[in-house]
Amino acid sequence: MNKRRKRKYKIHYFRIGMAAFLLVLIIVGIWFIASSCKERFSDSAVQTGADKPSATTAVTESLAITTTVTTTAAVPVVVYPSINSDTIEYDEETDTKYAVLIDTETNEIIAQKNYNVRMYPASLTKVMTLIVALENIDDLNDTVEITADMIDPMIDLHASRAGFCAGETPTLEQVLYGVSLPSGADASLAVAKYVAGSEEAFVALMNKKAEEMGLKNTHFTNVVGLHNDNHYSTAEDMALILQYAIENDKCREILSTYQYEIPPTEYNPEGLILTSTLFSRMEGTEMPNVVIKGGKTGFTDEAGQCLETFAEINGKTYVLVLAGGISKWQAVYITLSSYSMYCAGGEAYDPPVK
């Protein structure tokens, strides 16, 4: 009887022990699973779907991810030039209200006058028109139709035109030369219609580009440069736009061209010869060691005479913007003299006696 009772107790205690052991295992298992889930959740906050890295690796990889995102989202940003005690100031007698001469290699302002004061850019605007067009056109051999709506209002406003006729379908390359060389308003409106569907939509792209570039004092209301109180810039901003433009090979080529010939069409039986308004006023090689490579002119009654150029001098590139002048010829003389005296160590330009 005692043996049977002892055996019964042993079985009873064994069952209790096993139950306790299983309970402990279950508790440990639950703890382990909870810990594991916590670690996985923590891991996923840093690196989803991967093994948990070391603290150093996690930080490094996190920085790498941030850098990648930043690089992808980055846009071209201009760097404003510096001004210092050596910067020359144009005197009050100089026939320009606004001016800036920049050494693009050192990004320093060599000479200036009201360089960061708002002014009206007139047809200097068309350099931004070129930039936005070239960055949004895939095929320069594609064509665009010229319409009366692109021509007639510009005639009424006495705006300069390239000479295209309503119904004509020039290539986009021809149109872009028409924008720059003769400063054609008809060509500017044509490229705006092709790229964005309307001038208003294209202007929105211009302002977006100005914002992406980081320009501080520039806003456009049209693609031509016609006067509007809300269409403004500064000599400094215009210089930065030109500097940005000449980094684009096609844009630089167009701004550097003296003449461009368009073959005859049924609308223009003799063809069109587009001549640079800049190089019709200067050769660009008048001063020793100075080669003016290209640029853009502009004029409205409110903006005055405007002239921006880029030049190569002793292996360096310089950009000069003048605005608010009275005489287009004085703008040329100031340009030639500035490059010579302030960049090449030469003399002022001596205009020929007429």
Side-chain angles (χ1 to χ4, degrees):
M1 184 72 179
N2 289 334
K3 288 182 179 180
R4 184 180 297 176
R5 186 176 293 173
K6 287 181 181 180
R7 182 180 179 189
K8 186 176 180 180
Y9 286 152
K10 285 181 180 180
I11 293 171
H12 178 70
Y13 289 133
F14 175 79
R15 287 175 179 173
I16 292 173
M18 287 300 295
F21 178 74
L22 288 173
L23 182 62
V24 171
L25 282 178
I26 290 170
I27 293 171
V28 171
I30 291 172
W31 177 84
F32 180 81
I33 291 170
S35 263
S36 177
C37 289
K38 184 178 179 180
E39 287 180 358
R40 286 177 184 174
F41 177 79
S42 177
D43 288 349
S44 66
V46 178
Q47 190 174 7
T48 304
D51 293 335
K52 183 179 179 181
S54 66
T56 304
T57 305
V59 171
T60 303
E61 290 181 358
S62 178
L63 289 173
I65 292 170
T66 303
T67 304
T68 301
V69 172
T70 303
T71 302
T72 302
V75 291
V77 177
V78 299
V79 177
Y80 275 82
S82 61
I83 189 168
N84 52 54
S85 58
D86 294 327
T87 301
I88 298 161
E89 185 169 357
Y90 289 96
D91 60 42
E92 289 300 319
E93 288 70 36
T94 304
D95 182 22
T96 186
K97 289 183 180 179
Y98 316 94
V100 68
L101 173 60
I102 300 173
D103 180 337
T104 66
E105 184 176 298
T106 63
N107 203 32
E108 295 176 329
I109 296 176
I110 296 174
Q112 64 84 25
K113 184 177 181 182
N114 299 320
Y115 71 103
N116 58 359
V117 177
R118 283 187 181 181
M119 54 83 168
Y120 301 122
S123 284
L124 303 187
T125 297
K126 294 186 177 84
V127 176
M128 182 62 97
T129 303
L130 273 179
I131 290 170
V132 173
L134 284 168
E135 290 186 353
N136 287 277
I137 292 174
D138 294 325
D139 185 2
L140 290 177
N141 291 317
D142 202 358
T143 60
V144 59
E145 182 179 1
I146 306 297
T147 65
D149 291 342
M150 301 170 185
I151 299 172
D152 296 344
M154 297 301 104
I155 293 175
D156 295 339
L157 292 170
H158 305 290
S160 54
R161 291 171 290 115
F164 294 113
C165 299
E168 201 165 6
T169 55
T171 67
L172 291 168
E173 180 174 67
Q174 292 168 344
V175 169
L176 291 179
Y177 276 97
V179 169
S180 179
L181 304 191
S183 200
D186 50 350
S188 300
L189 292 171
V191 76
K193 180 67 179 294
Y194 176 90
V195 169
S198 68
E199 181 180 16
E200 292 76 14
F202 191 91
V203 169
L205 293 178
M206 294 169 68
N207 286 322
K208 180 181 178 183
K209 187 65 185 179
E211 184 179 354
E212 288 176 353
M213 291 170 64
L215 299 177
K216 301 174 183 177
N217 295 297
T218 296
H219 184 264
F220 302 106
T221 63
N222 62 83
V223 301
V224 176
L226 297 173
H227 178 71
N228 184 297
D229 288 345
N230 289 319
H231 189 99
Y232 57 80
S233 188
T234 63
E236 182 179 39
D237 276 14
M238 282 287 110
L240 292 172
I241 292 172
L242 180 58
Q243 187 175 338
Y244 180 94
I246 61 178
E247 292 174 0
N248 179 302
D249 291 342
K250 190 63 180 181
C251 200
R252 184 185 184 102
E253 175 188 314
I254 292 172
L255 291 167
S256 301
T257 299
Y258 166 54
Q259 277 190 339
Y260 182 85
E261 187 173 348
I262 298 176
T265 66
E266 62 174 307
Y267 299 95
N268 275 303
E270 296 182 1
L272 281 176
I273 296 178
L274 307 176
T275 303
S276 166
T277 53
L278 170 66
F279 290 120
S280 67
R281 301 177 190 180
M282 68 169 78
E283 293 181 0
T285 55
E286 287 88 346
M287 306 306 292
N289 302 315
V290 175
V291 180
I292 296 174
K293 304 295 290 185
K296 187 76 187 66
T297 63
F299 173 80
T300 64
D301 290 339
E302 296 82 0
Q305 293 292 340
C306 302
L307 179 62
E308 63 179 19
T309 53
F310 59 98
E312 291 184 2
I313 302 166
N314 298 325
K316 297 174 68 175
T317 299
Y318 297 84
V319 170
L320 172 62
V321 175
L322 307 174
I326 297 173
S327 164
K328 69 178 182 181
W329 294 112
Q330 283 297 321
V332 170
Y333 304 156
I334 295 167
T335 296
L336 295 171
S337 294
S338 295
Y339 283 132
S340 176
M341 293 190 299
Y342 306 144
C343 305
E347 302 294 327
Y349 177 68
D350 187 13
V353 178
K354 296 184 178 179

